[in-house]
Amino acid sequence: YMNAGKREEVNNILDCIFERFEGLHTKIIQNFAIELTAFVLSNLEEMGIVLKYENTQKLYYHEVISMNHPDAIKRMLKDIFFGIMENIALHPDISTRCIIQRAKEYIGLNYVKDISLEDVAHHVFLSPAYFSRLFKQETGENFSDFLIEIRMKKAMELLKSMKFKTYEVSLMVGYKNSKYFTRLFKEYTGYTPTGYQDIVRQKGTI
């Protein structure tokens, strides 16, 4: 929600979190505030966003531990997070590029698994609907088409090696159903997996 600029949602989530903190020792809440903000700022640095506002500097350890009431800590978090959102809004291109790059890296590392759009959206801290629109806008492809492309390119490499059978390659690129894999592969390359290997044998490469 912070990445999407949804101030009301961020505000409501923090309210809900602190409602659940009712009755907990203040020390636990202080540690949570410190760790959560450090996590958010770390992700911003990965995006290449340099913060230029004073609110972030408030969250020093000695100041948080001096706050004995959860409401004061919550107000500080809201001030900091709303300030962060203002900075994200000033860097939409950097933020979007970084999010999509992180999504692509995650897909590249996990395409063998049964990953979904929801899994990737969760990894980059976006709602599935918002991530889907953002991915299409930035890459020109739907998530599902991009995932198929990654898997098919890897399958082509594996088939070229002549070391694996079709069902083995199917499993190695994330498809338990080899018939479904064969259909997708033919749609992508124009050849069945075995036909592709035959062409490679005849021409040496393709």
Side-chain angles (χ1 to χ4, degrees):
Y1 286 133
M2 289 177 69
N3 285 329
K6 296 188 176 182
R7 185 185 178 101
E8 183 177 350
E9 283 82 352
V10 172
N11 183 73
N12 292 340
I13 288 173
L14 285 172
D15 284 343
C16 288
I17 289 173
F18 276 79
E19 283 178 13
R20 295 184 182 185
F21 282 163
E22 187 174 350
L24 290 180
H25 193 283
T26 304
K27 186 67 176 177
I28 295 174
I29 301 172
Q30 291 168 340
N31 288 337
F32 169 81
I34 292 170
E35 292 178 11
L36 178 61
T37 303
F39 174 77
V40 170
L41 295 179
S42 175
N43 276 272
L44 277 182
E45 287 181 9
E46 290 182 14
M47 291 185 195
I49 296 176
V50 179
L51 300 178
K52 297 180 179 179
Y53 64 94
E54 296 179 357
N55 284 342
T56 304
Q57 306 306 321
K58 288 183 180 179
L59 201 68
Y60 287 116
Y61 178 77
H62 69 273
E63 185 165 356
V64 176
I65 62 174
S66 71
M67 294 181 172
N68 294 318
H69 199 285
D71 284 345
I73 299 173
K74 180 172 69 172
R75 283 195 298 271
M76 174 180 274
L77 277 179
K78 287 185 178 182
D79 285 345
I80 291 171
F81 286 3
F82 293 156
I84 287 174
M85 291 169 69
E86 291 173 5
N87 275 264
I88 290 175
L90 295 174
H91 305 81
D93 294 338
I94 293 176
S95 178
T96 298
R97 284 199 305 271
C98 181
I99 290 170
I100 298 305
Q101 183 57 37
R102 289 173 66 184
K104 287 181 175 180
E105 290 172 358
Y106 180 81
I107 295 168
L109 291 172
N110 294 278
Y111 66 87
V112 176
K113 302 174 184 177
D114 186 23
I115 60 171
S116 64
L117 183 144
E118 287 74 16
D119 295 327
V120 184
H122 178 74
H123 179 72
V124 295
F125 310 106
L126 295 179
S127 69
Y130 182 71
F131 170 71
S132 179
R133 291 196 303 271
L134 198 66
F135 193 87
K136 174 74 172 179
Q137 170 187 312
E138 187 70 11
T139 67
E141 293 182 90
N142 293 322
F143 164 79
S144 58
D145 292 335
F146 181 83
L147 178 59
I148 289 173
E149 182 177 2
I150 292 289
R151 287 171 165 172
M152 292 303 106
K153 286 181 177 178
K154 184 61 180 178
M156 291 166 70
E157 292 177 15
L158 293 169
L159 289 167
K160 280 181 184 178
S161 72
M162 304 297 175
K163 296 178 182 178
F164 308 103
K165 299 184 189 240
T166 296
Y167 77 90
E168 292 175 318
V169 173
S170 177
L171 290 172
M172 292 168 76
V173 297
Y175 296 107
K176 294 179 181 178
N177 187 324
S178 60
K179 290 183 179 179
Y180 179 62
F181 163 70
T182 296
R183 179 168 69 79
L184 287 178
F185 189 86
K186 186 171 183 180
E187 288 176 0
Y188 186 80
T189 66
Y191 303 96
T192 63
T194 53
Y196 181 81
Q197 286 185 315
D198 289 339
I199 296 295
V200 171
R201 287 191 188 92
Q202 293 171 16
K203 298 186 176 180
T205 186
I206 187 172

